[in-house]
Amino acid sequence: MYDGGKIVAGLVVFLVLVTVPVWLNALAGGTPRAPELELPRDESRCVEPAAVMRATHMELLDTWRDSVVRSDDRFFTLEDGRRVERSLSRTCLGCHDRKDAFCDRCHDYLAVSPYCWDCHVIPEGGTALAAAGGGVR
Amino acid sequence: MRAWSALAIVVVLLGVAWVASGTGGGQAVIGTVIPYLAVALFLAGMVARVIGWARSPVPFRITTTCGQQRSLPWIPSATLDNPHTGWGAVRRMVLEVLLFRSLFRNTRSELRPTERLVYESDKVLWVAALAFHWSFLVILLRHLRFFLEPIPRLVPLLETVDGFFQLTVPTLFLTDALIVAALLYLLGRRVLNVQLRYLSLAADYFPLFVLLTIATTGILMRYVTKVDLVGAKELAMGLVTFHPVVPQGIGTLFFVHLFFVSVLFAYFPFSKLVHMGGVFLSPTRNLANNNRARRHVSPWNPEVKVHTYEQWEEEFRDKLVAAGIPLDKE
Ligand code: HEM
């Protein structure tokens, strides 16, 4: 082989790069687990079934935002009679009051970083805010 | 048109993937067996191809030279376009691999209405090729978020740059738009240009259709019909830690995406796509042009029996002396 040494070295580099996930995970050790989410203690239902929420909550938030800022339509009623305010900080974080143990755990697991919090507040003790007039009733 | 047969194969594969993805057993096969087989074929195939190329002799340097060769010290030489050292060749290769420098010289010939044949520079292909390959790389690197835990800092960094305009929720990645636009151009070029259509084979269309299917299913998953990404990551992590799992309810589209990615990987070493490895082994690019400065001996030269003057003189020494002919070695 002409330049055999260089070609074999190149092949080794290629194989190492392609298998990055295998050996990086092996080096990191431990079996990977899906994130553990802290669910609201005093509530049992989300605004939609959990499976739907898991996949489509960002689209729901998008439609909520459009309803609020474009048609000033802030409230709606769920099939089970609960009245819901379309609000990111007051409603979602009213129930999921620990963002870092719910939203963030999932988002960090998948390297999602919503920029919403550039403007929206992360309430401390969301239930208090919900009691002050917003959220779900 | 040979595009039809390629399209037919892709449609059949799509049908198979779609039906299989709807069933539990199908998901298990597409989510475990097929990716492993595809990656095994990819790695073994690539190694075999490169070793095959490496074994062909390169006795003489056939570098393409696009500038003044190095000669006398006071004549400036083009060290990049006509490298005479190994490092010069490395610099040339880096630019070739990262920026497709030789494609930058792409020209196109056209018969003008005046019946005159004109050649002109055609940079669109270069731009589209760069857009496609770089988008592909960025997408692959961003996908590392499914395969690594913890996720390296590079991934969020790429996501921030790629999602710079913060359009739509989830944020639109520019590379998603770019890769589709570039692929459509590369396809359109072959379909619309008569000369190119004549030259194109099914094997030219097939990778384009497969890549378009992968990009389309990926984009649909992100922006239109959502899938459960936590499940997708569990499956991906299972694959790379060799504990394959197939979580319930990820969504059909994910398995179609994964199936076509497997098809691409399995097909890669046997198709023109091996140019990924081939570019590094192009003797017209990767060698220094030192044909004149150094002697390169062909390995298949037959062994020539030589009889030097010295030996001849020795053999006929007495006769030469007798004839009074002067000798080199007294
Ligand atoms: C040739 C390799 C691949 C290509 C070109 C590709 C391409 C794409 C593209 C263009 C997207 C759109 C969203 C984005 O850019 O992030 C996407 C999304 C996605 N891909 Fe891939 N993909 C590949 C391999 C894989 C593999 C091996 C998996 C297996 C885990 C995978 C799983 C996904 C998932 C789950 C999404 C949805 C992401 C989201 O909703 O944000 N892809 N893919």
Side-chain angles (χ1 to χ4, degrees), chain B residues 202-215:
Chain B
D204 292 317
Y205 294 105
F206 183 71
L208 289 174
F209 288 134
V210 169
L211 283 163
L212 271 171
T213 315
I214 294 173

Side-chain angles (χ1 to χ4, degrees), chain B residues 139-140 142-143 145 176 214 218-219 221-222 254 257 261:
Chain B
I139 290 171
L140 277 184
R142 280 200 286 95
H143 270 61
R145 69 183 171 136
D176 290 0
I214 294 173
I219 286 168
M221 265 193 285
R222 182 171 167 87
F254 170 76
H257 188 68
V261 172

